[in-house]
Amino acid sequence: KKNIKKMVEMSKYITVLDFEAERVFQYKIEDKFIDNGDYEEYLTNKGHNLSNCEWMVHEEPRVITTNHEAYQ
């Protein structure tokens, strides 16, 4: 549990794959929220339906994208 807590304390972003909105959202989390935050309540307050999205907490804000000509 200590490793998980340490990982969450270092995390500063939540990325959400929202299937209803057909979009990816990313939120920066305040440091004070990280220690005692309820992420599911936070996302619900942001308007996400938790039964129709996936989310993760992470430290790096960058989103890796690839744009292949074959898919255009």
Side-chain angles (χ1 to χ4, degrees):
K1 277 203 159 194
K2 289 182 182 181
N3 290 339
I4 293 171
K5 183 172 174 66
K6 184 176 181 181
M7 183 179 76
V8 172
E9 286 175 357
M10 294 184 327
S11 303
K12 297 193 190 309
Y13 298 89
I14 300 177
T15 297
V16 181
L17 178 59
D18 190 318
F19 299 106
E20 286 182 5
E22 298 179 352
R23 294 185 66 191
V24 177
F25 297 83
Q26 189 172 83
Y27 303 102
K28 185 173 183 180
I29 311 167
E30 296 179 23
D31 289 337
K32 64 181 179 181
F33 178 79
I34 293 170
D35 289 333
N36 61 1
D38 180 346
Y39 298 107
E40 291 184 347
E41 181 180 353
Y42 177 83
L43 294 174
T44 301
N45 290 339
K46 289 286 189 181
H48 297 287
N49 177 358
L50 296 180
S51 65
N52 209 8
C53 68
E54 297 288 332
W55 59 274
M56 68 180 208
V57 179
H58 54 96
E59 186 177 323
E60 181 68 39
R62 183 179 61 187
V63 175
I64 300 169
T65 61
T66 0
N67 193 5
H68 297 286
E69 289 181 22
Y71 296 110
Q72 295 181 1

